[in-house]
Amino acid sequence: MSRRRKIYEGKAKIIYEGPEPGTVIQHFKDDATAFNAKKHEIIEGKGVINNRISEYIFQGLGEIGVQTHFIKRLNMREQLVHKLEIIPIEVVVRNIAAGSISKRLGIKEGTQLPRPIIEFFYKDDDLDDPMILEEHINAFGWASPGEIDEIMSTALRVNDFLAGLFRGIGIRLVDFKIEFGRQFEEDMMRILLADEISPDNCRLWDVETNKKLDKDRFRQDMGGMVEAYQEVAIRLGILNPGNNGEERPKPVLVSSNTSADKDKTD
Ligand code: ADP
Ligand code: UDP
């Protein structure tokens, strides 16, 4: 790889300086981490698939008018994006109870929520990304009230888009996490959707079988993580069955589900 400047290395991606001012390169690694990196493995092929899935979703969001950092995919593992000042908040949208909300509120995993629920977490690995209130975001100046409004309305638009997209390929969108950042251009500032949207930061369940097609396979030692991510990419039509993303993909028919691979998720 060329000698370019690494700006940041995270758990799943590396950020390099981009070719033009105001841009950076997002490099998708094969590292899988959970429980704030206490669990870590290399899952060969994961980065390639997430790069593809995230590209597809960000392009789709761009087409419905959501402003995102995505500019273009550069190669199998990298995309060119606008350089942002990341707002240190993880925005989680939930449609069905799972993960931390189930634990925190004692809601059985799989329970349909009365409406989409937005939660905020403070992006700080040392603190294990604690849950925060809008009150904290305001008081500590992490985002202004206007920015929070924009973030929340965009998060709900992203939820509508993703829920429909996945529903169309037989997948239930349980929840997901997104991030936002500020782009400064001359004396203008705008908020863009940042980071990635992939099975690493969504919960995706097969509509028929409830099979988990996301990072919970890794968190819960279920195995078959990369195959599940491939399944999502194949159903989205961005990967051919029988390759791991190394070849130029063509649209394919939505694959059928196998009853042999049922996971009980309630
Ligand atoms: P983490 O930092 O949680 O380990 P990653 O390994 O995914 O996560 O690292 C990617 C980092 O890049 C994240 O901290 C994310 O906030 C940041 N990021 C995402 N998009 C941009 C962007 N457009 N400009 C600058 N930083 C970004
Ligand atoms: N999530 C994420 N990064 C995080 C924490 C959560 O992408 O650091 C995603 C996670 O994959 C899920 C959603 O956000 O789709 C809600 O996660 P939850 O709060 O249930 O936390 P978990 O129990 O998964 O840690």
Side-chain angles (χ1 to χ4, degrees):
M1 203 110 316
S2 58
R3 290 166 53 80
R4 54 200 175 170
R5 196 169 71 87
K6 190 194 280 188
I7 297 176
Y8 173 82
E9 178 154 4
K11 298 183 286 293
K13 297 190 289 300
I14 304 173
I15 304 291
Y16 292 103
E17 201 166 62
E20 295 117 35
T23 64
V24 291
I25 294 167
Q26 274 205 126
H27 176 104
F28 288 73
K29 303 194 288 182
D30 282 341
D31 299 60
T33 62
F35 315 116
N36 198 8
K38 287 178 202 79
K39 182 173 162 75
H40 176 234
E41 266 175 51
I42 302 294
I43 307 284
E44 212 178 307
K46 178 180 80 88
V48 170
I49 300 172
N50 281 353
N51 185 22
R52 276 300 173 85
I53 293 176
S54 199
E55 170 195 22
Y56 183 84
I57 290 174
F58 273 68
Q59 273 177 342
L61 285 167
E63 281 163 20
I64 62 155
V66 173
Q67 296 196 309
T68 84
H69 71 163
F70 183 81
I71 302 172
K72 64 175 178 183
R73 186 166 60 80
L74 296 172
N75 55 50
M76 297 312 292
R77 285 194 183 271
E78 294 177 335
Q79 31 183 264
L80 183 67
V81 301
H82 294 293
K83 181 178 189 171
L84 304 182
E85 176 188 275
I86 293 291
I87 295 172
I89 295 164
E90 299 195 336
V91 181
V92 169
V93 183
R94 303 178 185 275
N95 300 301
I96 295 170
S100 69
I101 196 173
S102 289
K103 273 198 218 101
R104 197 180 333 116
L105 302 180
I107 307 174
K108 195 171 178 229
E109 184 177 272
T111 307
Q112 179 72 46
L113 298 170
R115 60 176 176 80
I117 293 176
I118 302 179
E119 293 177 346
F120 300 113
F121 295 84
Y122 182 48
K123 253 173 81 67
D124 187 324
D125 284 343
D126 292 342
L127 300 174
D128 271 350
D129 296 347
M131 192 177 174
I132 49 171
L133 305 174
E134 214 175 308
E135 182 73 354
H136 297 118
I137 302 175
N138 276 322
F140 297 122
W142 292 322
S144 69
E147 288 174 331
I148 301 172
D149 283 351
E150 189 177 336
I151 286 170
M152 289 176 77
S153 65
T154 304
L156 291 176
R157 286 190 71 198
V158 173
N159 186 45
D160 285 345
F161 173 83
L162 290 180
L165 175 72
F166 285 120
R167 187 32 90 127
I169 55 169
I171 291 174
R172 212 172 347 213
L173 177 67
V174 173
D175 59 32
F176 64 92
K177 182 270 295 183
I178 47 178
E179 296 182 20
F180 293 87
R182 300 184 185 94
Q183 184 191 34
F184 297 95
E185 264 180 353
E186 290 162 8
D187 54 354
M188 290 280 288
M189 190 276 287
R190 55 180 189 153
I191 292 194
L192 305 183
L193 182 67
D195 206 52
E196 68 174 292
I197 300 181
S198 74
D200 264 6
N201 33 55
C202 301
R203 283 197 171 90
L204 303 170
W205 295 352
D206 181 87
V207 165
E208 299 286 320
T209 64
N210 276 339
K211 178 181 175 183
K212 295 183 178 184
L213 299 169
D214 57 59
K215 200 163 106 177
D216 271 351
R217 299 203 74 86
F218 174 72
R219 292 189 188 98
Q220 299 172 8
D221 291 319
M222 300 168 86
M225 182 191 191
V226 90
E227 292 78 8
Y229 285 32
Q230 274 171 3
E231 170 88 32
V232 174
I234 289 167
R235 290 199 206 181
L236 286 171
I238 53 179
L239 184 69
N240 274 329
N243 77 36
N244 69 351
E246 300 299 336
E247 291 168 25
R248 188 178 170 75
K250 296 186 200 81
V252 291
L253 288 174
V254 170
S255 66
S256 57
N257 304 312
T258 55
S259 56
D261 204 5
K262 270 193 185 168
D263 294 309
K264 190 178 175 311
T265 45
D266 291 318

